[in-house]
Amino acid sequence: MRITVAPDRCVGAGQCVLNAPALFDQDDDGLVTLLADPTAAQETTARLAGALCPSRAITVHEG
């Protein structure tokens, strides 16, 4: 699994950080930043964070 983020699409809702703080953070403008690709144990959390993103700024790539 790999994750990409699009800060230009981010609206700063923070759902990613609330649900997966080990994977995501917000910069000084409140926009998403990726801290790390998920481990096998974090894959479910990563998918949830991607699904909860209201602006679809997080893309989860399977495989």
Side-chain angles (χ1 to χ4, degrees):
M1 170 183 284
R2 184 174 58 89
I3 297 174
T4 56
V5 297
D8 58 316
R9 294 180 61 187
C10 181
V11 296
Q15 292 301 309
C16 55
V17 178
L18 290 173
N19 289 284
L23 301 175
F24 302 100
D25 199 359
Q26 289 176 292
D27 66 14
D28 291 339
D29 295 322
L31 304 178
V32 64
T33 59
L34 180 63
L35 299 175
D37 279 324
T39 63
Q42 296 170 316
E43 288 184 1
T44 299
T45 304
R47 285 185 193 95
L48 177 62
L52 291 174
C53 180
S55 63
R56 300 293 178 238
I58 298 169
T59 303
V60 177
H61 305 273
E62 300 292 339

